[in-house]
Amino acid sequence: MKKRLIAFGQEFALEGLTLAVIVALFWTFMKKGILNDRDLIQPVLWHLMILIGIGVLILAFCKRLSYKGLVSVILLAGLVMRIGFVLYKPSYTAYHDLGEITTVGYYGHASYILKIFETGALPLENKGQYYHPPLFHILAACAMKVTGKVLRITDEVYLFESAKIISCTATCFTFLTARKILKELELGKTAFVTALSICAFLPIHYMLGGWVNNDALVTFFMTWIILYTIRWFKNPGYANIVFLALGFGFGIFSKISCALFAAFTGSFMLVKLVLAVRGGTWKPLIGQFAVFALIAMPIGLYYPIRNYLMFGQGLNFVLRPGDNVYCGEHGFVERFVLFPVSRLLSPVYLNPFEEYNLNFYLVKSAVVGEFEYHHVEEWPAAVLVVCNLILVVQSVFSAAAVCVQGFKEKAVTSSVRAQFLFLGLPGLWLWIYVNHLILNVRLPYGCTMDFRYIVPTSLLGAVYLGLYVEKCLTEPTVFRRIFAGIGMAAILFLTAAGMYMFSNMFKF
């Protein structure tokens, strides 16, 4: 038991430290009245990132930058950017479905949280955002309660800012979980650093932490499910199946779309069961599956069943957006096949009320969201859009190249790692994208196309880009040298432009 507790502590030590830092910073800033103070926090964040960059350059120039050191710097910079951005961004700017911070006449995420905060109970209606499962809103209300008790704050509107602790923590935990996935996949040093850099500095992760809604939390649980599906398939024990079940249970309790990952995990469970039946070792697996069901199903299905019984709400119900963002008058080819390159930077920012092309929307919303930032300059946003388009194209090509090579070498079933790299993860990537496309066919609205619904695909793309870039460097050809050079440049420019833009948003 003692060894298990020590192992558990070591496994989640960085998460615990990150949570402690986030809470300490939020409480300190709220106590001093400087939370959301852009004039104070932005210069500190920007200069801190400059100092980290200068430090890396000096160490590299002096040939003192080790692989572990570089990974540590990427981790530090990624976490600092997430936390720093959330500390200065008010919840009521550049938001999604927040509504007014009141329970009177509004049914957005803010009202949902305040309803739980004030009454200690779930809403007795499913209007607006109330149709969502409530885990995020419960946690946000708890964050408000504890913060109010500790800091003796009674102003609900100001206290509401502490709800960002949940989103900020979730997006930081997603990053730390992605790092563990890269380790489980046994990526080489170049592949690991390449993939980790994208996970660290793709701006969607900064934005997720600043939104008071359930997007960041469900993204964390989706990433968690990928990690523990890999771990369980490698080592099908009770510890891994329990963590996997908790990921599904709490993930679906955050947002019903997390159930989409059941096909991914279920496929590997079925493979493991077939192999166990052939080997005569299937009985322990049945016990594990029973434990999984007993944990995941009550947690995940409680709220959908509750709402079905109370309101007749379908298990896969999605609130229909307003007609002002309807784009169904455009044809299938125009929306899902063509890519309007001529409009890539004209305008730079997205307009949910006029846009209709899914892939175009995904590329842009991953780096600038759905908002028009009244920034001093637009150039960092333009750089982000161009670099992300390059990385998306390269990631898709890399995945195809890596998988084709794996099948040529007949390495698909040579190891657990190969099964995930050549079958599981590409299948999951395609599964998520196709389901998102189907959702947009069913609900042809601008905001439905947002990348925030399929954030885990960026991790999957990063894995394959990292693998192929490493191959480019170990087995170089003219094409591969150019490919790797463009990819590395795109990552560096995306990192710098993202840091600059999301450290210097003086107005929204």
Side-chain angles (χ1 to χ4, degrees):
M1 185 65 180
K2 185 178 180 181
K3 289 183 178 179
R4 289 182 180 179
L5 289 174
I6 292 173
F8 183 85
Q10 292 173 340
E11 172 73 14
F12 299 108
L14 194 51
E15 283 85 351
L17 177 61
T18 301
L19 175 60
V21 168
I22 291 171
V23 172
L25 286 172
F26 262 87
W27 285 357
T28 301
F29 280 44
M30 292 188 77
K31 184 70 173 178
K32 293 184 177 296
I34 58 174
L35 187 72
N36 301 336
D37 188 337
R38 294 194 291 268
D39 292 335
L40 172 66
I41 300 172
Q42 283 180 327
V44 173
L45 177 60
W46 175 232
H47 287 95
L48 185 58
M49 301 318 295
I50 290 174
L51 288 175
I52 291 175
I54 291 174
V56 170
L57 291 175
I58 291 173
L59 288 173
F61 182 77
C62 297
K63 297 182 180 180
R64 299 292 298 274
L65 184 63
S66 65
Y67 165 69
K68 288 185 178 180
L70 180 58
V71 169
S72 298
V73 168
I74 294 171
L75 284 171
L76 175 64
L79 292 172
V80 169
M81 275 301 304
R82 284 160 170 77
I83 298 170
F85 176 72
V86 176
L87 287 173
Y88 83 74
K89 179 198 172 295
S91 62
Y92 49 82
T93 57
Y95 57 82
H96 284 288
D97 306 319
L98 186 69
E100 295 293 326
I101 305 176
T102 176
T103 58
V104 181
Y106 289 91
Y107 302 94
H109 289 291
S111 175
Y112 198 163
I113 293 166
L114 288 176
K115 186 83 73 174
I116 296 171
F117 173 76
E118 293 174 358
T119 67
L122 296 175
L124 296 177
E125 50 196 332
N126 68 334
K127 294 181 180 179
Q129 301 305 316
Y130 289 10
Y131 82 94
H132 279 294
L135 180 58
F136 169 79
H137 309 87
I138 292 171
L139 293 175
C142 289
M144 289 179 64
K145 281 284 186 185
V146 175
T147 301
K149 294 284 187 183
V150 172
L151 302 182
R152 297 179 181 177
I153 296 173
T154 57
D155 182 353
E156 281 194 3
V157 174
Y158 185 56
L159 190 58
F160 182 78
E161 292 300 307
S162 63
K164 293 189 298 183
I165 291 173
I166 306 303
S167 294
C168 184
T169 300
T171 195
C172 289
F173 282 9
T174 297
F175 180 35
L176 298 177
T177 305
R179 169 175 163 264
K180 294 177 183 179
I181 291 172
L182 301 181
K183 284 187 174 182
E184 290 293 335
L185 294 174
E186 302 169 23
L187 300 190
K189 292 181 178 179
T190 300
F192 190 96
V193 168
T194 301
L196 188 67
S197 297
I198 295 173
C199 294
F201 304 122
L202 189 68
I204 184 65
H205 295 289
Y206 310 154
M207 293 183 277
L208 281 171
W211 296 332
V212 181
N213 64 18
N214 50 5
D215 288 329
L217 192 61
V218 75
T219 298
F220 162 60
F221 284 119
M222 288 174 173
T223 312
W224 176 277
I225 287 167
I226 295 173
L227 172 65
Y228 277 96
T229 299
I230 297 172
R231 285 184 171 178
W232 178 83
F233 196 74
K234 282 184 175 181
N235 181 22
Y238 277 97
N240 286 331
I241 202 75
V242 167
F243 280 127
L244 185 56
L246 291 172
F248 270 103
F250 289 129
I252 298 171
F253 200 35
S254 303
K255 201 169 188 178
I256 198 69
S257 59
C258 192
L260 192 68
F261 280 62
F264 167 68
T265 301
S267 298
F268 281 97
M269 285 183 168
L270 181 60
V271 169
K272 185 64 74 173
L273 180 61
V274 170
L275 294 175
V277 169
R278 289 176 179 175
T281 58
W282 56 272
K283 289 184 180 180
L285 281 184
I286 299 301
Q288 290 184 33
F289 293 160
V291 168
F292 177 88
L294 288 172
I295 294 173
M297 293 181 72
I299 299 173
L301 296 179
Y302 157 71
Y303 199 75
I305 292 174
R306 168 195 183 267
N307 277 19
Y308 176 77
L309 295 175
M310 291 180 66
F311 315 114
Q313 178 181 307
L315 296 181
N316 64 340
F317 173 78
V318 178
L319 184 67
R320 190 172 292 273
D323 291 336
N324 57 341
V325 288
Y326 181 78
C327 59
E329 68 275 5
H330 297 276
F332 185 89
V333 173
E334 197 175 13
R335 292 184 63 206
F336 304 114
V337 179
L338 301 178
F339 191 90
V341 177
S342 62
R343 294 192 289 111
L344 190 65
L345 301 178
S346 181
V348 173
Y349 298 117
L350 282 170
N351 185 344
F353 303 99
E354 296 181 1
E355 190 50 63
Y356 54 85
N357 186 277
L358 175 62
N359 295 320
F360 184 80
Y361 210 97
L362 291 174
V363 168
K364 282 198 168 188
S365 59
V367 289
V368 297
E370 293 182 320
F371 317 102
E372 292 186 17
Y373 304 98
H374 301 295
H375 193 271
V376 178
E377 302 135 329
E378 284 190 349
W379 68 261
V383 171
L384 286 171
V385 170
V386 172
C387 289
N388 193 44
L389 177 60
I390 291 170
L391 292 174
V392 168
V393 172
Q394 286 196 321
S395 296
V396 173
F397 174 85
S398 297
V402 168
C403 292
V404 167
Q405 188 64 31
F407 278 95
K408 280 184 177 180
E409 296 175 356
K410 298 181 180 179
V412 179
T413 58
S414 61
S415 66
V416 170
R417 174 181 181 269
Q419 289 168 2
F420 278 96
L421 286 179
F422 303 136
L423 291 173
L425 298 186
L428 176 61
W429 191 357
L430 186 61
W431 175 249
I432 295 171
Y433 177 80
V434 168
N435 275 273
H436 191 57
L437 188 151
I438 293 171
L439 175 65
N440 278 275
V441 170
R442 185 162 65 94
L443 294 172
Y445 296 90
C447 56
T448 310
M449 297 185 285
D450 201 320
F451 187 76
R452 65 191 173 103
Y453 300 119
I454 60 167
V455 176
T457 59
S458 62
L459 165 63
L460 303 176
V463 168
Y464 291 99
L465 181 59
L467 287 168
Y468 193 72
V469 165
E470 187 166 70
K471 185 178 182 66
C472 290
L473 299 180
T474 56
E475 302 175 26
T477 63
V478 173
F479 170 78
R480 288 175 181 172
R481 287 193 182 97
I482 294 172
F483 184 96
I486 292 173
M488 293 298 97
I491 291 174
L492 287 173
F493 280 110
L494 180 135
T495 299
M499 285 181 176
Y500 179 82
M501 181 172 173
F502 287 88
S503 298
N504 290 281
M505 289 183 176
F506 295 102
K507 297 178 183 178
F508 289 89

